[in-house]
Amino acid sequence: MNLVSLSLPAPAKLNLFLHVTGRRADGYHTLQTLFQFLDIADTLDFSVREDGQVLLCTDLPGVSMNDNLITRAAHLLQQHTNTRLGADITLHKRLPMGGGLGGGSSDAATTLVGLNHLWQTGLSGAELAALGLQLGADVPVFVLGQAAWAEGVGEQLTPVELDEPWYLVLVPDCHVSTAEIFSDQRLTRDTQAITLAAFREQGGRNDCLPVAEERYPAIRNALILLNNYCEAKMTGTGSCVFGAFPNEREADKVRARLPATLQSFVAHGCNRSPLHQMLNKDA
Ligand SMILES: C[C@](O)(CO)[C@H](O)COP(=O)(O)OP(=O)(O)OC[C@H]1O[C@@H](n2ccc(N)nc2=O)[C@H](O)[C@@H]1O
Ligand SMILES: Nc1ncnc2c1ncn2[C@@H]1O[C@H](COP(=O)(O)OP(=O)(O)OP(=O)(O)O)[C@@H](O)[C@H]1O
């Protein structure tokens, strides 16, 4: 029997480090980063429509329907496969926007993977990742669904197995635009490329952090606060700041000491994306 509806997670990611190694002629930056997923996610509900329309039934403040990465992903897949099918899509947004957790990119990836399933359009993971890259540099890793070492603009992915700690994530009260950080004059763009082995030995840093904390005092304050308890890092171009703990209890203990006015959450790091965990369970 053909499936007519599906409910799927669109999880968050963390960049465990982020080196900016250069800038391409088209203005995009070349990076080295390590992606790991979190078990916190938006949820997307999909129902097939026979009339070919794509309707996003949820309004996202500040994002028009046509700009929403979910609608754009659905239209891209339709155009690429010439399917006559459409979909009603409902988004349950949980991930903070402009937080460096990749929520928009993850929504786009879940749309590509979910509709490819429902519409039976039969694209491979590699084909979906290539389509996703047209929507954003972070989309391919969410399509792949495996923690990965990334190069290029984030699309050259090598799957890796990492420790899976619990993370305490602080959500500073500011919305960071990725383009704004990458276009800042002060961003250093010449970090020497390293190997995964070198990262495992010496660690890495986030080259976007000095610019982000200069522009947003709320990020600096969150880093100072979390550094009292663990090594605090920033994901992507910010704003979220995170630290790793060996278990949920330790992370919760620190969270309980934070000011109540600061938004935060505890989540488990996972090498397999919750999206792929769910799809494989149902397979
Ligand atoms: C910083 C990261 O989150 C690390 O994972 C990603 O590289 C950002 O990926 P993303 O949010 O999917 O970004 P995109 O939507 O592709 O790009 C937003 C804007 O950021 C800048 N940008 C982004 C990625 C990149 N490697 N170099 C860039 O210069 C470009 O000006 C681009 O117009
Ligand atoms: N479905 C969506 N969910 C969130 N943001 C969306 C979506 N569609 C479009 N956007 C736009 O994308 C911008 C970035 O949102 P997102 O939540 O992905 O930020 P982010 O976590 O900082 O991403 P990244 O780490 O990939 O830069 C939003 O400010 C919004 O304008």
Side-chain angles (χ1 to χ4, degrees), residues 13 60 68-69 93 97-105 107 138 175 178:
K13 57 82 178 167
L60 204 55
N68 197 302
L69 286 159
K93 192 82 195 156
M97 287 165 60
L101 299 173
S105 306
D107 290 347
D138 275 345
H175 185 291
T178 301

Side-chain angles (χ1 to χ4, degrees), residues 13 15 18 27-29 31 35 105 136-138 153 178-179 182 236-237:
K13 57 82 178 167
N15 297 96
L18 179 60
Y28 260 76
H29 290 76
L31 314 169
F35 287 111
S105 306
D138 275 345
V153 297
T178 301
F182 276 118
T237 49

